[in-house]
Amino acid sequence: MAKQLGFYIESSICSGCSACQVACKDKNTLDDGRAFRRVFEVSGGGFAKSGEGYVNNVFAYAISISCNHCTDAICVRNCPTTAMTKRAEDGGVFVDTNKCIGCGYCAWSCPYGAPQMNTVTGLMSKCDFCVDLLAKGEDPVCVATCPLNAIKYGDIEELRAKYGTLADARGLPSSTITKPNLVIRPHLGA
Amino acid sequence: MRDWPILIFTILFPTAVGTIGFAALSGVLLKGELDAAHQYVVMLNPMLMACVLGVVGFAASFWHLGYPFNARHVMRGVASSALSREIAMACAFVAAVGLTTLVALRSGRVSPAAVAGCFLIGLCAVWFMGEVYRKTSVLTWTHANTHVMFFGGLVVMGAVLGLALVGLAAGPILGLVSLRALFGWTAVLVLIGLAAQLAVMPSYVTAIDTNRMNAVRSYPLEPLEVFRTHAGTRCVRWIISLSGAATLLCAVWRTIRSGEPAGFPLTFVAGVLLFSGEILGRYVFYAIHD
């Protein structure tokens, strides 16, 4: 079976510093409207009266998400031109800008918000797993930048064997929709 | 609202299909009264209009594309992409209507079977039009309401425009029975089209309120929030649409009572109101970015 690259996100230790997001934007020279890796906060819970006092289940945590190079990628399925393709050798999902018409259908489709329009070229753009860095034997820039070592990457089967198979957390879509190549160690509140 | 080009396309294209459907219906309703030459007169206007609407709709949709120069690739995804299928079927519809119209213009006769065939192709295109939106992650698009809205719009706009066009061409030569049948069927179709859209609304609103995508933070759009901010626009849309339906019923009543095409001027007023209502409905549908 061919290798399938994936990410492991340790949301339980993520501080939400957004260094991964900034490094990704910097590496890919992204404009204000685009961020291939995004860090967002999920919060909730509340206080309830209990006897003379209150108990709470308040939580807040950060999740870092980029393209998960899904096994059943909805962007690949819905693309009318087959510009969005899944590469056989590493399972990465890439945009072929020689075919893309900039219809934006992939951006409407992906529940992770991975494909993003480059408004200058009118073409779709997305995380390419830093294939140029991988070719040089380096880590993807988000992985290399994280000061807490909360993002790891590799063959998804190896990641799952090591960290488990959970790909769902509060704030993320159901993993049944696209079968993301993602493993999450969620925060307690998730 | 960023998606004006596809708003225009999804108004004009279903209208073209509905107009062709009304032409086919007129052919059936007036079969006993009109000879081939008069049938040609009755059906030609809707066919020409469908050609124009289809082509203009397509042209408008190109403005939506960020890079239309790669448009030659749009059929490659037909095995899995609803958008490819929609484009394929819409092309087939425009080609079929264009060809049927050309043949009619050359021969001076219209084949009702060919017109009905065009209508069926158009229905398939409108089905895939709905599927395009249902297969996204935009929670206000994924409900069956999307199909009902497109088909409801097709019926409403196609019927009222079809009646106006048939009336322009053949009003004076039609007998009382035919006039009553045309006006009566138009009223029934418009009421069905609007009633279907209204009937699906409660389940739609409930479904989008409870959709799991509401809790998803990774999706960059918040269509439910925008939907809620447009509550007033939705009310205005329905006031306009129902006023249009009431005006159309007045036109039908006047025509049936007088036995003459006295209702045609009112039909135009009803048409403007009904079209405005549908356009407002589409505006709310596509307003997901605001």
Side-chain angles (χ1 to χ4, degrees):
Chain A
M1 187 180 162
K3 186 169 153 180
Q4 167 66 63
L5 287 173
F7 284 111
Y8 168 61
I9 308 295
E10 201 162 349
S11 176
S12 59
I13 62 167
C14 176
S15 66
C17 70
S18 298
C20 53
Q21 179 174 320
V22 173
C24 176
K25 281 180 80 78
D26 187 41
K27 191 253 175 189
N28 293 293
T29 325
L30 300 180
D31 47 60
D32 285 349
R34 290 182 294 160
F36 295 160
R37 179 165 284 286
R38 287 156 296 125
V39 178
F40 54 88
E41 187 184 282
V42 181
S43 58
F47 288 80
K49 194 159 177 57
S50 173
E52 294 298 307
Y54 288 87
V55 291
N56 83 81
N57 60 350
V58 172
F59 64 88
Y61 57 90
I63 297 185
S64 170
I65 279 292
S66 70
C67 175
N68 298 305
H69 302 274
C70 304
T71 298
D72 186 16
I74 195 169
C75 58
V76 174
R77 220 187 309 150
N78 281 355
C79 179
T81 64
T82 66
M84 202 64 86
T85 49
K86 195 161 170 63
R87 202 159 70 170
E89 57 262 42
D90 57 13
V93 175
F94 298 92
V95 192
D96 180 352
T97 51
N98 291 318
K99 288 188 196 168
C100 180
I101 53 173
C103 64
Y105 193 27
C106 50
W108 285 342
S109 303
C110 175
Y112 297 97
Q116 294 166 18
M117 181 67 82
N118 180 341
T119 51
V120 176
T121 61
L123 296 163
M124 202 46 73
S125 59
K126 67 183 287 301
C127 160
D128 64 357
F129 228 114
C130 291
V131 281
D132 51 339
L133 297 181
L134 292 182
K136 290 192 279 185
E138 297 176 26
D139 291 341
V141 72
C142 55
V143 176
T145 306
C146 180
L148 297 168
N149 203 19
I151 307 174
K152 297 181 178 66
Y153 82 104
D155 179 27
I156 193 66
E157 290 310 322
E158 289 173 16
L159 292 174
R160 283 174 182 151
K162 199 167 176 183
Y163 301 111
T165 58
L166 189 66
D168 292 285
R170 199 193 303 239
L172 292 180
S174 166
S175 59
T176 58
I177 301 171
T178 61
K179 299 184 176 61
N181 288 298
L182 172 72
V183 176
I184 286 191
R185 185 175 176 200
H187 184 274
L188 206 60
Chain B
M1 236 300 277
R2 302 177 186 175
D3 298 310
W4 285 104
I6 40 175
L7 184 152
I8 293 168
F9 174 66
T10 57
I11 285 289
L12 296 188
F13 191 82
T15 305
V17 177
T19 308
I20 281 292
F22 193 85
L25 179 67
S26 303
V28 173
L29 291 175
L30 309 176
K31 197 175 177 181
E33 187 173 343
L34 301 179
D35 56 22
H38 282 112
Q39 197 174 45
Y40 170 80
V41 172
V42 166
M43 292 175 84
L44 187 65
N45 275 354
M47 289 167 65
L48 287 170
M49 179 57 84
C51 290
V52 172
L53 293 176
V55 171
V56 174
F58 251 122
S61 71
F62 264 76
W63 288 99
H64 170 71
L65 303 181
Y67 195 78
F69 305 106
N70 284 338
R72 65 186 180 282
H73 298 295
V74 292
M75 303 290 182
R76 284 174 182 258
V78 78
S80 65
S81 170
L83 184 52
S84 276
R85 292 171 190 166
E86 180 205 8
I87 294 166
M89 293 308 292
C91 285
F93 171 77
V94 172
V97 172
L99 200 63
T100 308
T101 308
L102 274 179
V103 170
L105 285 169
R106 282 184 68 86
S107 65
R109 287 172 185 275
V110 176
S111 161
V115 176
C118 294
F119 178 56
L120 290 178
I121 296 171
L123 287 180
C124 293
V126 174
W127 170 262
F128 285 122
M129 183 182 280
E131 285 295 288
V132 166
Y133 298 97
R134 292 201 68 190
K135 290 179 188 300
T136 65
S137 294
V138 182
L139 65 93
T140 49
W141 291 355
T142 53
H143 189 262
N145 169 71
T146 302
H147 280 308
V148 176
M149 182 189 69
F150 284 140
F151 280 108
L154 178 156
V155 170
V156 170
M157 295 184 290
V160 78
L161 182 62
L163 177 66
L165 293 169
V166 169
L168 272 177
I173 61 171
L174 293 177
L176 178 60
V177 175
S178 300
L179 270 177
R180 281 179 174 166
L182 276 181
F183 272 86
W185 271 100
T186 304
V188 168
L189 289 170
V190 166
L191 290 177
I192 288 174
L194 292 179
Q197 292 185 70
L198 273 174
V200 78
M201 204 51 72
S203 95
Y204 172 61
V205 172
T206 307
I208 62 175
D209 263 334
T210 54
N211 193 306
R212 285 179 65 185
M213 278 299 288
N214 278 319
V216 170
R217 295 290 318 279
S218 59
Y219 193 61
L221 302 174
E222 293 184 348
L224 185 61
E225 294 303 313
V226 184
F227 180 83
R228 284 175 177 151
T229 64
H230 283 294
T233 317
R234 292 200 305 280
C235 286
V236 171
R237 176 259 201 271
W238 280 109
I239 290 167
I240 292 175
S241 288
L242 295 175
S243 304
T247 311
L248 183 68
L249 288 176
C250 288
V252 173
W253 182 71
R254 284 185 65 176
T255 300
I256 289 175
R257 194 186 61 165
S258 67
E260 293 173 3
F264 279 121
L266 263 185
T267 306
F268 284 100
V269 176
V272 170
L273 289 170
L274 290 166
F275 267 79
S276 303
E278 293 299 320
I279 291 167
L280 266 183
R282 284 296 190 287
Y283 175 85
V284 173
F285 181 76
Y286 284 114
I288 56 170
H289 296 282
D290 300 1

